[in-house]
Amino acid sequence: VQLQASGGGLVQPGGSLTLSCKVSGFTSGHYTILWVRQAPGKEREGLACAGQGVTYYAESVKGRFSISRDYAHNTVNLQINSLKPEDTAVYYCEADEVYACVPIASMGGTRYDYRGQGTQVTVSS
């Protein structure tokens, strides 16, 4: 299984980005995708997950982040609007065939089996 995250970059505050996670290697579409981020010196933070017709968002990003699955292209996108400097981090997509998409706050330290290489998002003027 391979996950390839892309779409990061340098954006001004208030701007938008769409991150993409290209997934390959699963034999079926029955897996859950989780987007997380990690800023220097900070804990890994769960942002949004997409399962079988289910999505959940962390309270801290609800309303600004939107996750969507493109089953035809095995891609999961994360649209980020109204970017803030505190959104600066490396963003990763993770995947798992066992864990369901559940409310982010209930996930605790759950780590999915597979993770891509990450894409850097920097929000600065």
Side-chain angles (χ1 to χ4, degrees):
V1 173
Q2 290 189 328
L3 306 174
Q4 181 80 28
S6 62
L10 174 62
V11 186
Q12 291 189 339
S16 298
L17 274 179
T18 299
L19 308 182
S20 291
C21 179
K22 177 72 173 174
V23 183
S24 61
F26 284 113
T27 56
S28 76
H30 298 291
Y31 54 86
T32 300
I33 288 289
L34 173 70
W35 278 99
V36 303
R37 68 185 177 190
Q38 189 154 22
K42 292 191 175 181
E43 297 275 328
R44 168 181 168 272
E45 179 185 10
L47 303 171
C49 62
Q52 303 306 305
V54 176
T55 59
Y56 285 103
Y57 297 90
E59 286 299 319
S60 60
V61 303
K62 197 177 288 185
R64 293 195 302 123
F65 287 33
S66 178
I67 190 170
S68 60
R69 292 184 74 150
D70 179 349
Y71 284 96
H73 297 95
N74 291 326
T75 300
V76 181
N77 296 323
L78 185 70
Q79 169 88 29
I80 309 175
N81 299 319
S82 303
L83 278 155
K84 306 174 182 179
E86 50 265 42
D87 292 321
T88 295
V90 179
Y91 285 67
Y92 300 89
C93 54
E94 300 181 355
D96 202 284
E97 291 181 289
V98 175
Y99 289 119
C101 177
V102 297
I104 302 299
S106 71
M107 290 185 63
T110 299
R111 291 183 180 271
Y112 283 17
D113 276 349
Y114 305 100
R115 169 186 270 204
Q117 86 289 357
T119 185
Q120 175 72 47
V121 173
T122 302
V123 184
S124 174
S125 55

